[in-house]
Amino acid sequence: MTLPLPPFITIPAGTLQMGTPEHDLSRLATHYGGTRESYREESPQHAVALSTFAIAQVPTTVALYACFVNAGGIPPQQWEWQCETPHAPVVNVTWVMANTFCDWLSAQTATHYRLPTEAEWEYAARGHDARQFPWGDTWHAQAAAVRDTCQALPPVGSYPAGASPWGCLDMAGGVWEWTASLDMPYPYGEDGRNDRQREGRRIIRGGCYVNPHGYARCACRFRMQPSMTNPFLGMRCVRSAP
């Protein structure tokens, strides 16, 4: 079977300044709405050391997920409708389905695939310098698929101006993406939050095409129960050592 795998970008080991500084919480509330406490889950900003990993340049597409479905995998909701746009991100995938897909992909390729941790996702999106968006600190409408820039979910890679420092695409807007990490407060640590066997809500990242652009900030965090999904939620894979 020939799989339409995306390019994978190697992210070198380094240190992420994760989250939002305490002194920026009021600014976010003023600029994007809500209250200072609305952004508290992004704080405190803290350093997280990460090992080398490789992440898909774009979210998992309908075309790639279709290989899994054709091999017996469970199709997501609205599957026939999704198949009309094979180069769009697959959506309506639960966290459980996303992990099962990664397991299947690993077995097909003899390579270990999994969901990114929350820290890996943020590092791939913003690099070393804690920028607000993958391309920098200033919002650019031509760089991301959000409420004010598109009317429907576009194919992956449609916004090259939104590339992260490493060259990752679609990490702002498009679809929310599952991470491996449990919904736990900062600081991030090796505290079992990435244990696949633990129960609890999992963090999603990136915003989507029906959200205002404030949700597309690199530090923005949301969460969902692992059995839930919606038409604005997809996934992207990481390739790493088992």
Side-chain angles (χ1 to χ4, degrees):
M1 179 190 305
T2 300
L3 298 172
L5 289 168
F8 275 74
I9 296 177
T10 298
I11 310 296
T15 300
L16 163 69
Q17 295 300 322
M18 190 171 190
T20 298
E22 177 82 15
H23 60 75
D24 274 356
L25 300 183
S26 296
R27 180 188 62 80
L28 292 177
T30 299
H31 196 70
Y32 297 113
T35 67
R36 177 185 175 88
E37 293 306 308
S38 304
Y39 301 90
R40 175 68 62 186
E41 65 180 351
E42 300 178 17
S43 186
Q45 190 172 76
H46 55 289
V48 177
L50 291 168
S51 301
T52 300
F53 63 97
I55 192 168
Q57 186 179 38
V58 295
T60 300
T61 61
V62 171
L64 179 55
Y65 200 87
C67 297
F68 171 57
V69 172
N70 293 339
I74 298 174
Q77 295 176 12
Q78 302 178 308
W79 181 238
E80 291 186 3
W81 168 76
Q82 291 195 58
C83 286
E84 296 177 5
T85 53
H87 299 297
V90 66
V91 295
N92 281 318
V93 177
T94 69
W95 186 82
V96 176
M97 292 166 66
N99 279 286
T100 303
F101 168 80
C102 289
D103 292 344
W104 173 84
L105 187 59
S106 298
Q108 298 303 305
T109 59
T111 303
H112 185 62
Y113 291 95
R114 57 175 175 79
L115 294 178
T117 68
E118 185 181 11
E120 287 172 336
W121 193 98
E122 187 169 327
Y123 193 40
R126 75 192 313 187
H128 295 284
D129 58 5
R131 55 186 59 192
Q132 292 292 300
F133 300 100
W135 55 88
D137 287 328
T138 302
W139 169 250
H140 294 301
Q142 73 275 18
V146 295
R147 179 190 294 175
D148 296 331
T149 64
C150 68
Q151 301 299 315
L153 180 61
V156 298
S158 294
Y159 289 78
S164 80
W166 313 110
C168 300
L169 300 175
D170 306 332
M171 301 199 84
V175 292
W176 288 97
E177 299 177 16
W178 285 113
T179 75
S181 302
L182 285 162
D183 178 21
M184 295 174 65
Y186 286 167
Y188 179 94
E190 296 300 325
D191 49 11
R193 69 180 64 207
N194 299 319
D195 185 345
R196 184 165 157 180
Q197 303 306 315
R198 291 182 62 178
E199 296 183 357
R201 299 184 301 181
R202 300 284 166 163
I203 293 293
I204 59 175
R205 289 300 203 103
C208 74
Y209 73 99
V210 300
N211 290 146
H213 73 266
Y215 291 88
R217 293 177 300 107
C218 296
C220 183
R221 311 173 74 205
F222 267 71
R223 78 286 311 141
M224 288 188 67
Q225 292 289 348
S227 61
M228 302 295 290
T229 192
N230 60 51
F232 315 112
L233 176 58
M235 60 177 291
R236 100 170 55 207
C237 296
V238 158
R239 185 176 66 206
S240 66

